[in-house]
């Protein structure tokens, strides 16, 4: 049986390789275009179309068009990559039809990259080689001087100028193991895709002499295999936004074609599943996941291994005869897993379900969408492993209907898996049966709560119920049910392939691995950021995100969406993981991270979230239904200038009450945005209720516009742009705003080129 | 299909009139699966994608065919934001009011659309071309503020671009 699984897996992997070989050989030029909701919105379909036309016209069969998902570099999309064999891969940003034309004619046909449009460019010229250095604190030889310094010195001594070799310090490659830590440094040489492990200067000299100057890789020092982020770094390692990240869950984003199972196989797809089925022991999987310290990425942070253990050990009440010593999956003896039939106890009901929660409802979060659109097979594989671990034979994908493309890609992934025998009966000849079904959400935020989600799958209104019993005991149709988030499943394959110890070590003490954040708002570089748990906010916002856009000052970082809170700018050195964010009065949530600057009013932000929660409250329990409504009323009163200092006490009291008395997570957390802003920005609330002033000039009722007669030159632009024509004044004379008619739209403020219009 | 009415043929024929053959087939297939009642939301999605909204007659027919109380069907249809109970215009304008779009000025985009079309949230323009809705995050926060018209997403929209954007669709509607 054991060899059968491996044999079948290898047969499939070989088949995939064979198909890929027929489709493309290594010496072809590849043009890579992103295809995901965000890429399409930015115009990638036009770009793809343009390349297709050019390709047809050029009549060349050595050029390939390759589709990938999205890399998560949202503000620069559409992104196009051009990979010429033997040369550095070049990525272009904000490509349109015109630029696509230039890229094709100049770069692809004539070999001259369009340097001014290179991603995060422009650059003057492309280096012949690039050296990526592992940035882990554990990496480094025992020399007296830092590795990078020695390397720079040796490069210039060898006559290799900056134009020839470009050195980049990247994030941790994940190439070392604990035993070797501190003895080696790792470096990757591009475009040759060679990863070296060096321990002293002599070895470094050899690499420079043989490889960089001589062009012959030093096989002796080469590391076998590839690190987890290797494929991603090979393509994107030169881009600062990417090389500071640790791509684990997102390791295939922007690398593989999300609709090609062959490519997924090529990047070790289903190897984790084969390993699990070969071991044929759910206990092993559960232990491995437990040791990895993987915690639920949906926001709760519940240990995944523990949840799976409970799901595995639960039994359906009423069916089981005898005492409660039922422990399926943990059979006596060796791993002779036989789902459905528990040794010696007769036919107990082993029905249980696994659900993937892809109802990404947090406004400002889009990492699950990206994963489903860019690497759906990884999530599916994670689910099959999860199904095996808990002993389920049926799983569900609960996806928001607002994500049509993600739905199409999952449908395709499931279909491909069935065709290749990876879903259905007797997967890889192991005897394990598992299948997946998609269920659509219909736009209810509360359905992210697990009991509400279960009701929704059952075809009911998505309202939560009291827990316990927890779904792991009594879930979908009364059967034990395990629900995990998309990102959790996306990490499972990494844990199985690369080991629990490795995964646990990436993260912080209590949570292993990385977390993907959807960085948005007033930040320079918006997009998906995956960093180890415990990375500081500063790294995410400043190093990777490039700080606040437009030179404004950072005011707060909002995490966790409507259930989270605002972390003040002073706390920017806070490490991000489940526990420290909780201590700061916010939560990790699913990973939305919105940057707020000095133009954002914190009372207004609190009101925004309360509007959301009030609208999304399902109405079942009174504290949430009434609490959100009343709190919103109070916030509206405050922002419209009618608030009193007593209102602030009322807000706090109501918030604490909702926290204690609400039925589900939505109600319990709905007050978080208000409570956290009340705590950190009480002065802003006070300004609103005492001085009737909005310090950020955001709350319309509390501001007005005036024209400074000293500065006004009488250009009439403001008067011509005013939608209610309340600005008067002769040409070349100072103008005046009629306050009684002004609707405070701020148009005059925006169009004035002389800073004469003042917002007070 | 199992029935509990004695005039099943009549019921089925009436439902076919209202919902059309493909949806009746869809319901019949769904009813053959385990836990048929759990397919209600999928059925409503199917009806809405065909008709653009869920009319009372649609809901009644679904209740009849699936043999679930009409109260439950209406309850489910009313609970979820995604389901529309009123007819929609030719194009759906979804202004994203997710957090990222909100802090980047989604309100002003919406205000401009409201001014241009003379309608407010949830309403359909008099010429039947546009229906305006607010969307709870379209997941394209990197392009904020975002407006989705039918399936097409427009990113980094400014109030000034709104008239031209609407005109583009008006032109399509006239064709």
């Amino acid at each position: 049986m054991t060899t059968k699984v491996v044999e079948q897996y290898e047969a499939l992997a070989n088949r995939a390789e064979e198909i890929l070989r027929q489709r493309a050989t290594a010496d072809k030029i590849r043009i890579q275009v992103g295809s995901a909701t965000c890429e399409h919105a930015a115009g990638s379909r036009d770009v793809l179309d343009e390349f297709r036309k050019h390709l047809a016209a050029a009549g060349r069969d050595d050029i390939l068009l390759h589709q990938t998902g999205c890399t998560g570099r949202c503000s620069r999309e559409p992104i196009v990559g051009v990979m010429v064999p033997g040369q550095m891969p070049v990525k272009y940003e904000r490509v349109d039809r015109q630029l696509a034309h230039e890229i094709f004619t100049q770069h692809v046909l004539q070999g001259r990259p369009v340097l001014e449009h290179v991603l995060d460019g422009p650059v003057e010229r492309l280096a012949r080689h690039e050296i990526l250095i592992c940035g882990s604190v554990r990496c480094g030889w025992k020399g007296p001087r830092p590795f990078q310094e020695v390397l720079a010195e040796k490069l210039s001594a060898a006559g290799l100028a900056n134009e020839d070799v470009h050195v980049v310090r990247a994030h941790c490659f994940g190439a070392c193991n604990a035993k070797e830590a501190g003895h080696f440094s790792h470096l990757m040489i591009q475009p040759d895709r060679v990863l070296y492990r060096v321990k002293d200067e002599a070895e470094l000299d050899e690499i420079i002499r043989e490889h960089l100057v001589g062009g012959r890789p030093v096989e002796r020092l080469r590391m076998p295999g590839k690190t987890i982020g290797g494929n991603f770094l090979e393509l994107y390692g030169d881009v600062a936004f990417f090389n500071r990240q640790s791509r684990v869950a997102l390791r295939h984003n922007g690398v593989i074609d999300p609709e090609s199972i062959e490519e997924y196989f090529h990047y070790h797809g289903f190897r984790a599943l084969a390993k699990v089925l070969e071991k044929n022991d759910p206990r092993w999987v559960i232990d491995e996941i437990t040791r990895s310290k993987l915690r639920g990425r949906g926001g709760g942070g519940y240990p995944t291994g523990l949840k799976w253990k409970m799901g595995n050990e639960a039994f359906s009440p009423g069916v089981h005869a005898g005492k409660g010593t039922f422990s399926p999956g943990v059979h006596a003896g060796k791993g002779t897993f036989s789902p459905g039939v528990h040794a010696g106890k007769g036919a107990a009901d082993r029905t249980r379900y696994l659900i993937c929660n892809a109802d990404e409802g947090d406004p400002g979060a889009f990492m699950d969408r990206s994963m489903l659109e860019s690497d759906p097979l990884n999530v599916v594989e994670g689910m099959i492993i999860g199904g095996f671990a808990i002993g389920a034979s049926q799983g569900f994908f609960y996806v928001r209907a607002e994500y049509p493309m993600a739905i199409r890609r999952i449908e395709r992934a499931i279909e491909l898996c069935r065709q290749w025998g990876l879903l259905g009966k007797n997967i890889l000849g192991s005897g394990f049966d598992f299948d997946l079904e998609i269920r659509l959400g219909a736009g209810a935020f509360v359905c992210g709560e697990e009991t509400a989600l279960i009701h929704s799958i059952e075809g009911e209104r998505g309202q939560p119920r009291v827990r316990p019993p927890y779904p792991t005991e009594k879930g979908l149709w009364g059967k034990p049910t395990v629900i995990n988030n998309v990102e959790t499943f996306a990490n499972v394959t990494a844990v199985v392939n690369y080991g629990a110890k490795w995964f646990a070590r990436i993260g912080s003490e209590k949570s292993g691995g990385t977390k993907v954040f959807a960085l948005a708002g007033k930040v320079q570089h918006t997009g998906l950021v995956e960093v180890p748990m415990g990375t500081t906010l500063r790294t995410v916002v400043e190093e990777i995100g490039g700080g606040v856009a437009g030179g404004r000052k950072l005011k707060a970082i909002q995490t966790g969406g409507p259930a989270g809170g605002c972390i003040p700018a002073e706390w920017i050195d806070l490490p991000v993981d489940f526990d420290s964010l909780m201590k700061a009065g916010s939560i990790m949530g699913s990973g939305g991270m919105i940057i707020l600057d000095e133009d954002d009013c914190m009372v207004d932000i609190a009101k925004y979230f309360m509007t959301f929660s009030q609208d999304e409250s399902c109405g079942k329990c009174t504290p949430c239904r009434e609490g959100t409504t009343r709190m919103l009323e109070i916030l509206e009163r405050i922002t419209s200038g009618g608030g009193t200092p007593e209102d602030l006490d009322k807000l706090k009291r109501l918030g604490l009450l909702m926290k204690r008395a609400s039925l589900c997570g939505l109600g319990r957390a709905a007050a978080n945005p208000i409570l956290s802003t009340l705590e950190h920005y009480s002065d802003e609330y006070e300004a609103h209720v005492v001085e009737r002033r909005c310090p950020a000039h955001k709350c319309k009722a509390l501001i007005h516009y005036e024209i400074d007669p000293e500065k006004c030159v009488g250009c009439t632009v403001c008067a011509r742009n005013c939608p209610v024509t309340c600005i008067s004044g002769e040409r070349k004379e100072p103008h005046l705003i009629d306050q009684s008619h002004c609707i405070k739209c701020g148009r005059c403020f925006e169009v004035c080129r002389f800073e004469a219009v003042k917002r007070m | 299909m199992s029935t509990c009415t004695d005039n099943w043929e009549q019921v089925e024929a009436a439902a076919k009139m209202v919902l059309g053959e493909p949806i009746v087939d869809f319901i019949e297939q769904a009813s053959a699966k385990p836990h048929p009642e759990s397919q209600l939301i999928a059925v409503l999605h199917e009806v809405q994608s065909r008709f653009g909204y869920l009319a009372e007659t649609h809901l009644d027919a679904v209740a009849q065919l699936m043999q679930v109380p009409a109260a439950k069907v209406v309850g489910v249809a009313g609970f979820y934001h995604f389901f529309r109970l009123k007819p929609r215009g030719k194009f759906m304008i979804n202004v994203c009011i997710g957090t990222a779009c909100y802090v980047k000025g989604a309100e002003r985009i919406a205000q401009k659309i409201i001014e241009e079309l003379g309608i407010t949230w949830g309403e359909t323009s008099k010429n039947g071309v546009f229906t305006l809705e607010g969307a709870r995050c379209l997941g394209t926060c990197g392009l904020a503020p975002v407006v989705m018209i039918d399936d097409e997403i427009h990113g980094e929209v400014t109030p000034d671009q709104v008239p031209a954007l609407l005109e583009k669709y008006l032109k399509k509607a006239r064709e």
Side-chain angles (χ1 to χ4, degrees):
Chain A
M1 184 141 151
T2 301
T3 47
K4 207 167 151 196
V5 171
V6 176
E7 256 170 43
Q8 286 211 11
Y9 164 72
E10 278 173 2
L12 290 181
N14 290 339
R15 185 172 130 201
E17 282 302 316
E18 189 47 43
I19 294 171
L20 286 179
R21 250 197 306 279
Q22 281 168 12
R23 216 179 281 165
T25 46
D27 57 353
K28 287 194 177 180
I29 299 176
R30 288 208 307 178
I31 304 174
Q32 184 165 297
V33 183
S35 162
T37 305
C38 43
E39 288 272 9
H40 284 185
S44 72
R45 273 175 296 194
D46 284 347
V47 172
L48 190 67
D49 182 57
E50 188 72 19
F51 280 123
R52 276 213 186 97
K53 273 189 210 158
H54 277 288
L55 211 53
R60 295 255 304 254
D61 59 358
D62 62 334
I63 304 171
L64 269 181
L65 258 183
H66 185 240
Q67 169 192 257
T68 59
C70 81
T71 51
R73 187 69 173 83
C74 309
S75 47
R76 298 294 162 98
E77 286 171 351
I79 291 173
V80 166
V82 176
M83 275 73 85
V84 180
Q87 290 177 21
M88 288 293 301
V90 183
K91 285 79 57 189
Y92 294 101
E93 62 178 31
R94 290 180 178 262
V95 181
D96 54 12
R97 275 183 187 271
Q98 175 60 32
L99 183 54
H101 169 82
E102 276 173 51
I103 292 170
F104 195 85
T105 49
Q106 272 192 42
H107 187 173
V108 179
L109 294 182
Q110 300 168 27
R112 283 184 293 118
V114 190
L115 296 173
E116 58 270 37
H117 295 287
V118 168
L119 178 59
D120 276 350
V123 293
E124 274 172 30
R125 57 173 289 185
L126 295 170
R128 201 160 46 84
H129 283 292
E130 191 175 80
I131 304 180
L132 291 171
I133 307 173
C134 176
S136 166
V137 285
R138 300 183 203 94
C139 222
W141 56 13
K142 289 230 164 96
R145 287 189 306 149
F147 181 74
Q148 203 166 345
E149 205 180 295
V150 178
L151 177 66
E153 212 177 87
K154 287 187 183 297
L155 285 175
S156 64
L160 293 164
N162 264 341
E163 296 93 73
D164 297 314
V165 182
H166 185 204
V167 181
V168 177
R169 192 178 174 84
H171 72 82
C172 171
F173 291 174
C176 51
N177 53 43
K179 218 165 40 189
E180 297 161 337
H183 294 280
F184 295 93
S185 267
H186 293 89
L187 50 100
M188 186 197 268
I189 295 190
Q190 279 283 74
D192 311 331
R193 304 181 171 199
V194 180
L195 181 65
Y196 288 117
R197 163 181 289 182
V198 288
K199 69 171 189 300
D200 54 29
E201 295 200 19
E203 289 187 353
L204 190 58
D205 284 332
E206 190 179 343
I207 289 168
I208 292 174
R209 193 178 60 239
E210 294 295 316
H211 191 162
L212 294 176
V213 179
R216 294 172 301 271
V218 187
E219 297 298 331
R220 185 173 60 83
L221 300 174
R222 200 171 171 160
M223 272 191 74
K226 199 171 260 181
T227 63
I228 186 158
N231 296 307
F232 185 82
L233 275 181
E234 281 173 7
L235 267 175
Y236 301 101
D238 56 332
V239 182
F241 181 81
F242 293 127
N243 64 32
R244 307 297 303 163
Q245 301 190 29
S246 296
R247 294 260 168 148
V248 174
L250 298 177
R251 62 191 180 277
H252 298 138
N253 278 40
V255 176
I256 69 167
D257 179 348
E259 293 177 26
S260 161
I261 197 167
E262 295 88 2
E263 283 194 21
Y264 184 64
F265 265 108
H266 179 72
Y267 292 108
H268 303 320
F270 299 107
R271 202 167 70 169
L273 177 66
K275 191 169 169 185
V276 163
L277 293 180
E278 195 210 330
K279 290 220 189 258
N280 199 25
D281 181 4
R283 265 177 316 181
W284 179 81
V285 187
I286 292 169
D287 285 350
E288 194 73 355
I289 297 292
T290 308
R291 276 196 301 269
S292 76
K293 299 182 188 167
L294 174 64
R295 291 169 67 176
R297 298 293 196 255
Y302 195 80
T304 305
L306 189 57
K307 199 188 252 185
W308 285 12
K309 186 164 184 275
M310 284 155 63
N312 181 308
E313 290 173 357
F315 61 92
S316 297
V319 184
H320 172 61
K323 301 184 301 298
T325 51
F326 186 67
S327 56
V330 195
H331 303 279
K334 293 183 302 311
T336 48
F337 185 60
S338 48
V341 188
H342 182 61
K345 283 264 169 92
D349 184 1
R350 278 284 295 167
T351 309
R352 57 206 58 224
Y353 298 104
L354 182 75
I355 298 174
C356 174
N357 182 352
D359 190 47
E360 188 173 49
D362 269 19
F366 53 95
M367 47 277 143
D368 292 354
R369 177 186 62 73
S370 174
M371 272 176 245
L372 295 171
E373 287 178 355
S374 307
D375 193 16
L377 286 157
N378 186 30
V379 183
V380 170
E381 189 186 349
M383 283 192 76
I384 306 173
I385 294 170
F388 176 79
I390 66 163
S393 55
Q394 178 69 49
F396 291 90
F397 251 111
Y398 185 78
V399 199
R400 316 171 69 188
E402 289 90 335
Y403 284 176
M405 187 178 221
I407 296 166
R408 274 200 305 277
R409 294 244 160 109
I410 306 165
E411 273 170 356
R412 181 79 187 126
I414 292 176
E415 194 187 304
L416 285 169
C417 285
R418 284 190 190 134
Q419 283 168 11
W420 285 62
L422 295 155
L423 275 177
K425 299 263 171 233
N426 195 14
I427 296 171
L428 293 176
S430 65
F432 171 59
D433 305 337
F434 188 70
D435 213 338
L436 282 173
E437 203 180 301
I438 296 179
R439 291 297 174 105
L440 297 192
F445 177 65
V446 68
C447 287
E449 200 279 342
E450 47 184 21
T451 59
L453 187 152
I454 286 170
H455 286 147
S456 184
I457 292 187
E458 288 170 347
E460 307 278 337
R461 295 156 56 129
Q463 287 181 316
R465 62 156 172 81
V466 178
R467 296 183 305 179
Y470 287 92
T472 41
E473 266 171 72
K474 203 166 181 245
L476 191 59
W477 296 302
K479 305 293 179 198
T481 303
V482 168
I483 304 175
N484 285 122
N485 169 266
V486 173
E487 194 183 332
T488 313
F489 284 121
N491 276 307
V492 166
T493 49
V495 172
V496 175
N497 270 334
Y498 294 87
K501 213 164 145 191
W502 162 81
F503 191 85
R505 218 157 53 84
I506 299 177
S508 59
E509 197 197 329
K510 284 185 181 157
S511 19
T514 57
K515 177 75 194 92
V516 183
F517 291 98
L519 191 62
K522 308 280 184 65
V523 67
Q524 190 95 20
H525 309 310
T526 55
L528 291 179
V529 176
E530 182 170 3
V531 287
M533 292 277 184
T535 305
T536 62
L537 284 169
R538 188 187 292 282
T539 306
V540 177
V541 179
E542 291 184 355
E543 276 184 46
I544 299 172
V548 179
R552 311 292 292 173
K553 222 174 101 198
L554 175 73
K555 186 173 199 172
I557 298 155
Q558 208 281 337
T559 65
C566 290
I567 299 163
E570 303 87 84
W571 296 29
I572 192 156
D573 287 308
L574 190 78
V576 277
D577 60 33
F578 293 102
D579 310 303
S580 59
L581 284 177
M582 192 85 90
K583 267 183 226 146
S586 185
I587 61 161
M588 174 87 96
S590 57
M593 191 181 274
I594 311 277
I595 307 305
L596 305 172
D597 70 10
E598 49 195 329
D599 291 337
D600 291 306
C601 166
M602 302 315 282
V603 186
D604 182 64
I605 292 292
K607 187 182 80 174
Y608 166 80
F609 283 116
M610 195 40 84
T611 313
F612 181 91
S613 297
Q614 192 267 335
D615 195 33
E616 295 292 344
S617 172
C618 79
K620 186 169 179 172
C621 75
T622 314
C624 174
R625 183 186 63 237
E626 295 303 319
T628 51
T629 310
R630 299 302 155 234
M631 284 179 89
L632 179 61
E633 275 173 12
I634 296 173
L635 287 167
E636 271 170 352
R637 191 155 70 220
I638 294 174
T639 53
S640 60
T644 60
E646 292 79 62
D647 281 340
L648 304 187
D649 295 331
K650 277 185 201 154
L651 277 178
K652 200 164 178 186
R653 253 196 4 251
L654 268 171
L656 292 173
L657 182 141
M658 279 171 65
K659 230 179 166 148
R660 276 203 305 270
S662 294
L663 176 61
C664 82
L666 189 151
R668 279 199 290 270
N672 282 351
I674 287 105
L675 294 175
S676 82
T677 46
L678 266 175
E679 188 187 330
H680 300 305
Y681 300 93
S682 57
D683 52 331
E684 262 186 62
Y685 278 90
E686 276 156 22
H688 280 74
V689 296
V690 179
E691 299 164 50
R692 304 278 145 109
R693 185 174 66 83
C694 174
H697 303 300
K698 183 92 188 180
C699 300
K700 259 188 183 180
L702 301 177
I703 54 165
H704 70 277
Y705 293 91
E706 276 176 26
I707 296 174
D708 183 350
E710 300 280 306
K711 284 190 172 165
C712 180
V713 297
C715 71
T716 75
V717 164
C718 56
R720 279 183 281 131
N721 275 285
C722 178
V724 291
T725 54
C726 72
I727 303 179
S728 57
E730 291 301 313
R731 207 176 169 77
K732 298 197 177 165
E733 294 289 328
H735 282 45
L736 193 71
I737 300 174
D738 176 0
Q739 298 295 343
S740 62
H741 285 94
C742 176
I743 56 166
K744 299 174 185 175
C745 69
R747 189 79 184 127
C748 50
F749 180 75
E750 282 161 24
V751 295
C752 180
R753 280 167 291 162
F754 304 96
E755 289 177 10
V757 181
K758 300 268 180 259
R759 196 164 51 181
M760 332 264 280
Chain B
M1 188 179 292
S2 65
T3 64
C4 42
T5 46
D6 46 14
N7 60 340
W8 179 251
E9 273 157 32
Q10 264 170 289
V11 168
E12 204 182 16
K16 262 185 194 160
M17 286 280 288
V18 175
L19 297 174
E21 200 95 30
I23 289 177
V24 174
D25 286 350
F26 184 88
I27 295 175
E28 269 169 17
Q29 279 165 26
S31 303
K33 291 180 188 165
H35 305 288
E37 70 290 346
S38 75
Q39 301 286 340
L40 178 57
I41 293 171
V43 169
L44 293 179
H45 271 298
E46 208 59 30
V47 177
Q48 178 159 299
S49 73
R50 187 175 155 88
F51 297 100
Y53 77 113
L54 306 172
E56 236 181 277
T57 47
H58 299 147
L59 297 179
D60 277 345
V62 168
Q64 288 281 15
L65 284 180
M66 292 190 75
Q67 295 286 298
V68 265
K72 188 185 157 184
V73 178
V74 174
V76 169
F79 181 83
Y80 293 97
H81 292 294
F82 197 81
F83 295 130
R84 297 185 51 77
L85 305 176
K86 279 192 280 183
R88 45 161 275 185
K90 189 166 166 53
F91 297 111
M92 281 300 288
I93 304 178
N94 267 297
V95 178
C96 181
I97 42 171
T99 322
C101 289
Y102 181 77
V103 300
K104 287 206 163 175
E107 249 183 351
R108 292 168 51 219
I109 313 292
Q111 197 52 45
K112 186 77 185 169
I113 296 173
I114 288 169
E115 271 169 36
E116 289 283 319
L117 298 177
I119 52 171
T120 180
W121 299 108
E123 290 183 353
T124 302
S125 62
K126 280 205 190 76
N127 56 11
V129 178
F130 296 110
T131 300
L132 176 64
E133 295 258 297
R136 289 285 186 224
C137 195
L138 299 168
T140 48
C141 310
L143 302 166
V146 171
V147 174
M148 180 163 84
I149 303 184
D150 274 10
D151 276 348
E152 234 175 307
I153 290 183
H154 305 271
E156 296 179 340
V157 180
T158 63
D160 294 340
Q161 293 169 356
V162 166
L165 192 62
L166 296 176
E167 185 52 41
K168 201 175 112 189
Y169 286 91
L170 267 175
K171 220 168 126 191
K172 263 195 209 169
R174 281 195 293 264
E175 273 162 15

